[in-house]
Amino acid sequence: MRFIFKTSYAQDLRLFQHGGQVFWYGLLLAALFSAPAWAGEYLMTQLVFVAIYSLVGFGLMMLTGFTGQVSLGHAAFLAVGAYTEAILAARGVPIFVSIPAAAALAAAVGVVVGLPALRLKGIYLAIATLAFNVIVEEIAARWESVTNGNAGMPVAPVTLFGHELEPDRGFYYLCLLLAVAACLACINLLRSPTGRAFVAIRDSEVSASCMGVNLAMYKTISFAFSAALTGVAGALYAHKVGFISPEQFSLLVSIELITIVILGGVGFLHGAVLGAAFVIVLPQAIAVAKDFLPPTMAPSGLQAVVFGIVLILVIIFEPMGLYGRWLKIRTWFELFPFYRRGMFRRQRTYTKTERLR
Amino acid sequence: MTDLAQLLVAGISTGCVYALVALGFVLIYKATETVNFAQGDLMMLGAFFALTSSTVFGWPYWATIVFAAAVMAVVGMTVERIVIRPVLGHPAFTVVMITIGVGYVMRGIVTMVPGWGTETYQIPTPFAEAVWTAGGVVLPVQQLAVIAMTAALCAVLYVFFRFTRIGIAMQATSQNQLAAYYMGIPVRRVNMMIWGLSAAVAAFAGILLAPVTFVHSNMGFIGLKAFPAAVVGGFGSVPGAIVGGLIIGVVEALAGYYLPEGFKDVAAYVVVLLVLMLRPSGLFGETMRKKV
């Protein structure tokens, strides 16, 4: 059992609360940075996808988990990032320029989408972002001079100083670096007044504005930041997949992205990574499990059924997501034998919050 | 002029389907504060039950409607009992995610059932190819039938909500659960019935939609167009849902004819963005202020 004696306020804001965290996160980083040495080609591909989805997860977590603004349109930001990167890469623009450009353009679009968010809440916002997603997908399909329409466009591999990055060494490090940087950026943002304002808005808009939080400004910042991270992820995704077309950014993808946050655990940055890993691993696990099933069960629908059931079960039995489950396990060990079942019980609200605006 | 009339009829008949799906959203939203993203999939499932009863059992059209609606009512009540009730009172978006999960499961199950699968089917209807001509305007009987049947259903629902004991209890529950509970209304059971009713309406919509898009496992995505309908009408208003559905249907039909290709698919969403920006409570929405 560990006691942390806090003797100064600076201690509260430290990146790592105690030595154990330094050790474990250091170990994780070392494992990830040495991954090309011990992981096979297949595993490397999965790790790259987990890094890309984690980037989206961080973005969505900042928006949905910490600012409380629901978005069902993040695939649109992914599309903006991916198309920007594809077009710039085809012109030979180096990635130092093109990835920030993808992030900036996505952020600009995020600000535009954030504008209605200043007036909308809850489900209305979800529907507005959903509508925006459909419109962006349709623009990508119809604006053939730029996006090549439904035929899709190939994306050149990443080049750095005239050398092509190896897909499972150099590109992996690029994704990993960006994901770690994004994670640090999120942590730092959350420690700053801006992050506190986000959380205040999530918990209660009325009290946040009474405390002097400028709702319009912080919601817009949150949308822009979230969209920028998703734009970076889109740029990496475009390079990884090597070919992009509008249907890769449909509403179903947006729903998949939001499940990252829900499955991982709303309101925890760890949850974004865990959720991303889960969303990547689950289809593979199902594909493996299929080999053991009788072929009469039509496999096409199996993934949807398992995915849906997992989603339902997680929400009913573990509303805090995968990270919440880990927290409970950890607390059980830390407090052994004094853990009590009600410790993490969430209060039900039964309020009519949506209708009172 | 004849073009316009034909477009209007076509738009209204599509709008009727949107209206019925939106009606399902609104019924559930008013009662349980839950937005049911699986409404389109309930519609799809209803259409598949109708398909089975008409092709496998060989029942007549009207019997298939009653059968599908009845089966779907049971499905809707089961869904409410098993997955929605345990999470009532959780944050609204959590419940939305659970309905998305339900949608996934339904879509998956349909592709796994033998005889349903991923193929596209057609439900035979008594008014397949016939047309009426009135003053140069060619009107497919199919579309007129959809409009007439929607109107009839709305009349039945009106009578149900206005004059029956259960209907009035449902209205009370959707206005104020606590007050309804104090008046001796079993709120949970009523909520379950509302889910059943909403699923039955969805089945009806699915059968009406079947001749247009045919029956397949992804037909539920049309439910996403019913969101704009519900929002345009104001999410908490039953007549609003009907009007919103008709507006979306007509706008879509007109956009498909007068605007360049591609606008038809996004017209509904452009309309909903405009409505959300200009009048977020919708045309018929009630606005209440939160008092702190």
Side-chain angles (χ1 to χ4, degrees):
Chain A
M1 183 129 195
R2 189 194 309 274
F3 290 101
I4 303 171
F5 293 106
K6 289 183 177 158
T7 48
S8 74
Y9 289 117
Q11 212 173 350
D12 245 352
L13 290 174
R14 259 188 217 156
L15 207 51
F16 298 107
Q17 293 295 323
H18 52 79
Q21 280 185 345
V22 178
F23 175 73
W24 287 111
Y25 286 116
L27 202 64
L28 179 68
L29 264 188
L32 285 176
F33 270 94
S34 64
W38 50 263
E41 198 178 323
Y42 173 77
L43 193 57
M44 291 307 294
T45 309
Q46 304 310 319
L47 281 177
V48 168
F49 272 116
V50 171
I52 295 173
Y53 271 55
S54 302
L55 270 169
V56 185
F58 290 137
L60 259 177
M61 194 60 88
M62 291 304 282
L63 186 67
T64 305
F66 291 105
T67 321
Q69 310 295 306
V70 176
S71 164
L72 277 179
H74 257 57
F77 301 129
L78 204 65
V80 171
Y83 275 105
T84 312
E85 178 70 17
I87 291 161
L88 289 180
R91 306 258 156 90
V93 179
I95 55 164
F96 311 111
V97 183
S98 63
I99 288 186
L105 197 61
V109 176
V111 170
V112 175
V113 183
L115 289 181
L118 308 180
R119 291 188 68 185
L120 303 175
K121 259 188 230 164
I123 196 62
Y124 288 91
L125 180 59
I127 291 171
T129 50
L130 181 155
F132 164 74
N133 193 155
V134 176
I135 291 171
V136 166
E137 191 193 341
E138 194 67 24
I139 290 174
R142 300 284 167 189
W143 197 4
E144 293 188 349
S145 57
V146 174
T147 65
N148 208 11
N150 280 321
M153 61 196 293
V155 187
V158 188
T159 50
L160 203 61
F161 306 118
H163 296 285
E164 199 173 292
L165 284 183
E166 291 167 73
D168 46 343
R169 285 283 297 277
F171 187 65
Y172 167 72
Y173 282 125
L174 177 68
C175 294
L176 184 60
L177 273 178
L178 284 172
V180 171
C183 183
L184 284 176
C186 289
I187 297 173
N188 279 330
L189 196 63
L190 287 173
R191 296 192 291 169
S192 72
T194 314
R196 305 289 192 217
F198 287 171
V199 176
I201 291 175
R202 174 191 70 184
D203 289 345
S204 163
E205 289 197 4
V206 176
S207 43
S209 65
C210 289
M211 299 296 283
V213 171
N214 184 341
L215 290 184
M217 189 175 88
Y218 283 106
K219 279 188 188 174
T220 314
I221 291 177
S222 180
F223 256 99
F225 183 70
S226 172
L229 286 185
T230 314
V232 173
L236 295 174
Y237 175 82
H239 280 304
K240 179 66 197 167
V241 179
F243 181 83
I244 51 174
S245 61
E247 80 267 5
Q248 286 168 343
F249 307 105
S250 68
L251 191 60
L252 284 178
V253 178
S254 282
I255 290 177
E256 193 184 324
L257 297 179
I258 195 92
T259 53
I260 291 179
V261 177
I262 301 281
L263 289 179
V266 178
F268 306 104
L269 280 179
H270 300 78
V273 183
L274 290 176
F278 191 81
V279 168
I280 298 290
V281 168
L282 187 67
Q284 323 271 352
I286 293 171
V288 171
K290 256 178 212 166
D291 298 341
F292 299 98
L293 286 175
T296 45
M297 287 177 71
S300 56
L302 188 63
Q303 187 176 333
V305 172
V306 174
F307 196 71
I309 289 178
V310 166
L311 194 59
I312 293 171
L313 290 182
V314 166
I315 292 174
I316 291 182
F317 294 109
E318 194 49 87
M320 289 163 79
L322 292 172
Y323 186 66
R325 174 47 60 188
W326 160 243
L327 269 186
K328 284 174 196 174
I329 293 172
R330 199 180 68 187
T331 316
W332 191 86
F333 278 110
E334 276 182 358
L335 296 184
F336 185 82
F338 299 117
Y339 183 82
R340 295 193 303 166
R341 286 178 69 200
M343 286 180 79
F344 284 93
R345 181 163 297 161
R346 185 156 70 181
Q347 256 183 341
R348 295 186 168 204
T349 49
Y350 289 113
T351 45
K352 299 253 172 189
T353 42
E354 299 272 309
R355 220 176 279 173
L356 297 166
R357 299 181 336 126
Chain B
M1 197 57 218
T2 53
D3 279 348
L4 189 65
Q6 283 175 17
L7 278 177
L8 281 180
V9 172
I12 289 175
S13 92
T14 330
C16 282
V17 177
Y18 295 155
L20 288 181
V21 181
L23 187 68
F25 284 135
V26 169
L27 287 179
I28 288 179
Y29 179 75
K30 276 184 71 127
T32 54
E33 291 275 312
T34 305
V35 178
N36 178 18
F37 268 69
Q39 193 72 23
D41 299 298
L42 286 173
M43 179 184 86
M44 178 266 297
L45 206 56
F48 269 102
F49 278 119
L51 174 78
T52 302
S53 69
S54 93
T55 54
V56 179
F57 306 157
W59 288 356
Y61 191 61
W62 306 108
T64 64
I65 293 181
V66 175
F67 172 75
V71 174
M72 284 313 292
V74 175
V75 171
M77 288 198 271
T78 318
V79 167
E80 197 275 344
R81 183 66 195 86
I82 295 178
V83 298
I84 305 296
R85 202 178 288 180
V87 294
L88 262 192
H90 281 311
F93 196 69
T94 315
V95 189
V96 167
M97 286 310 293
I98 224 168
T99 60
I100 289 178
V102 171
Y104 267 111
V105 173
M106 283 181 185
R107 239 174 291 141
I109 285 179
V110 162
T111 60
M112 285 159 66
V113 171
W116 289 3
T118 45
E119 265 113 86
T120 302
Y121 303 94
Q122 197 170 2
I123 299 179
T125 55
F127 15 75
E129 297 295 325
V131 286
W132 277 2
T133 7
V137 184
V138 183
L139 300 173
V141 175
Q142 186 73 63
Q143 292 175 357
L144 296 176
V146 167
I147 298 173
M149 281 157 70
T150 308
L153 182 67
C154 289
V156 169
L157 284 177
Y158 176 78
V159 171
F160 174 76
F161 278 118
R162 184 76 179 74
F163 296 109
T164 65
R165 208 173 246 270
I166 299 181
I168 293 170
M170 283 179 180
Q171 280 197 52
T173 318
S174 14
Q175 276 182 7
N176 189 334
Q177 290 195 353
L178 202 58
Y181 193 75
Y182 290 156
M183 293 299 122
I185 294 171
V187 171
R188 289 180 177 184
R189 210 179 307 157
V190 169
N191 280 348
M192 195 160 102
M193 287 177 196
I194 289 178
W195 268 81
L197 176 68
S198 166
V201 171
F204 197 79
I207 296 168
L208 293 189
L209 188 67
V212 186
T213 63
F214 304 116
V215 180
H216 57 94
S217 58
N218 282 339
M219 77 188 282
F221 287 119
I222 207 149
L224 294 173
K225 284 211 176 133
F227 277 120
V231 172
V232 167
F235 223 102
S237 155
V238 174
I242 307 281
V243 175
L246 296 182
I247 290 176
I248 296 287
V250 169
V251 165
E252 211 176 60
L254 294 179
Y257 188 76
Y258 291 108
L259 292 176
E261 202 187 342
F263 276 94
K264 183 175 191 287
D265 296 328
V266 295
Y269 299 101
V270 175
V271 168
V272 78
L273 279 183
L274 285 178
V275 167
L276 282 175
M277 268 182 236
L278 301 176
R279 197 180 149 78
S281 55
L283 298 177
F284 295 82
E286 77 240 64
T287 38
M288 286 190 238
R289 291 255 154 223
K290 182 175 183 177
K291 295 192 182 74
V292 183

